[in-house]
Amino acid sequence: MSAGGMYGSSMPQGGARGSGWGHRLGNALKTTVLLAGLTALLLVVGERLGGPQGLVVAGFFVVVMNFGSYWFSDRIALAMHGAQPLEYAEAPWLHQMVERLAARAGMPKPKLYLLPTRTPNAFATGRNPEHAAVAVTAGLVDILDQRELEGVLAHELAHVKNRDTLIGTVAATLAGVISYAAQMLFWFGGSLLGRGDDDEEGGPGHALGNLGVLLVAPIAATLLQLAVSRSREYGADATGAELCGDPDALADALLKLERGAELMPYDRAPATSHLFIVNPLSGGAIMGLFSTHPPIPERVRRLREMAGPRSTRGWRSAWA
């Protein structure tokens, strides 16, 4: 492991100031809008699928999913990727690095997990800082040096501190269900829950309405998710850079991770791709428009600007 051994940081204290109450309030408002929008979409799909009965069933699922996502979001995300607990004895230097960053952020140390994949990446999950977990891939620890790895871990702890992890899992769950319900609408046309062609709302107009929901619902769910997910990444980059005290380290890491994802795409549980620090899925320019992550060059540019005169490189030079 290239990051093995102890790492002493000279990071300045108080680097977490970027995640103050103003940021948290803005994040809370965005997540409320996201949940309301995704919930409304699911209710619409339920109504189109089965009329009043479908609306009731959809409402029930919304309550169950929100409850389950709140209490078990960390377990769900970790299980989907086959993550295993990383014991202290296996990587004491990594645990100590997280302990230092967590202390600087004023939060408990999250649990550490390892994903058995060579693709370099990482994500955080959990409903709050007291019930959080950070998962790193085997490839991440191999490809990054000590300062870059600390930058990535600081980014993930920033997500926890900024309360991003809960909404990310809830949004993924609701968006996935909306897409699945839209597919059911396509195959069953509203007959699954008793609505047939003889109903008052049946006929060509009803069929066209179903088709519209089928086309719009998954796209709208994705766009609502992207609206919050992209801004969350910028916020976590800024807070993480302040936590580790080295914006260039995180910028360098992002460039390496982007290249790693291009060479070794990781497509397990695509619905959770927005949880990772870089998009684990491969895609061209068109797919980039629907990426849950902002462009890496823009993220790197902002981090280089944060470094200011301390930065010894331009943001483009790290591509070489």
Side-chain angles (χ1 to χ4, degrees):
M1 295 183 181
S2 63
M6 286 296 297
Y7 176 52
S9 173
S10 60
M11 177 182 64
Q13 298 296 322
R17 64 181 181 276
S19 56
W21 285 108
H23 179 89
R24 293 186 185 182
L25 178 59
N27 197 27
L29 291 175
K30 291 177 183 177
T31 54
T32 299
V33 171
L34 174 66
L35 281 180
L38 290 175
T39 299
L41 279 173
L42 184 57
L43 293 177
V44 169
V45 172
E47 193 280 332
R48 299 303 302 183
L49 187 62
Q53 184 180 356
L55 186 63
V56 173
V57 173
F60 172 78
F61 273 111
V62 166
V63 173
V64 171
M65 284 185 303
N66 283 335
F67 178 84
S69 295
Y70 179 83
W71 289 104
F72 307 110
S73 61
D74 54 341
R75 301 180 189 178
I76 293 172
L78 294 168
M80 292 175 73
H81 292 280
Q84 298 297 321
L86 186 61
E87 302 298 336
Y88 191 95
E90 298 179 73
W93 57 271
L94 188 60
H95 279 269
Q96 291 164 9
M97 187 181 291
V98 174
E99 285 174 356
R100 289 195 300 272
L101 291 170
R104 248 176 217 111
M107 53 181 280
K109 173 180 173 289
K111 298 178 181 178
L112 281 178
Y113 287 80
L114 183 68
L115 273 62
T117 175
R118 305 313 305 173
T119 302
N121 224 319
F123 71 86
T125 185
R127 64 181 182 270
N128 54 41
E130 289 71 32
H131 301 85
V134 172
V136 299
T137 68
L140 179 82
V141 181
D142 285 339
I143 197 175
L144 299 185
D145 63 28
Q146 295 170 348
R147 55 186 287 273
E148 292 167 347
L149 181 58
E150 186 167 34
V152 169
L153 292 173
H155 172 99
E156 296 307 327
L157 264 65
H159 274 311
V160 176
K161 184 175 180 64
N162 294 344
R163 304 300 200 274
D164 294 333
T165 50
L166 172 62
I167 189 61
T169 303
V170 173
T173 302
L174 287 177
V177 170
I178 288 172
S179 298
Y180 179 72
Q183 294 177 25
M184 293 177 62
L185 183 64
F186 173 77
W187 290 110
F188 296 100
S191 62
L192 184 64
L193 296 177
R195 175 180 285 186
D197 291 335
D198 294 333
D199 289 350
E200 181 180 355
E201 298 182 12
H206 181 64
L208 288 175
N210 285 351
L211 179 60
V213 174
L214 171 67
L215 295 175
V216 172
I219 296 175
T222 300
L223 291 177
L224 282 171
Q225 190 176 354
L226 297 185
V228 171
S229 185
R230 290 195 173 200
S231 62
R232 288 188 307 117
E233 292 305 316
Y234 285 132
D237 283 345
T239 302
E242 292 186 348
L243 278 176
C244 70
D246 189 355
D248 278 326
L250 179 54
D252 293 342
L254 289 175
L255 294 174
K256 286 186 178 181
L257 298 185
E258 181 185 43
R259 181 59 176 164
E262 291 174 352
L263 296 175
M264 295 177 289
Y266 178 70
D267 59 359
R268 183 168 179 171
T272 65
S273 63
H274 65 283
L275 297 179
F276 288 86
I277 186 171
V278 299
N279 193 340
L281 307 175
S282 61
I286 298 300
M287 290 302 295
L289 297 175
F290 296 94
S291 173
T292 53
H293 295 68
I296 293 295
E298 176 60 18
R299 294 173 68 181
V300 170
R301 184 190 67 79
R302 296 187 182 198
L303 288 166
R304 299 294 191 216
E305 287 183 351
M306 284 187 66
R310 294 179 298 135
S311 180
T312 59
R313 70 193 75 187
W315 70 270
R316 293 184 183 274
S317 64
W319 286 94

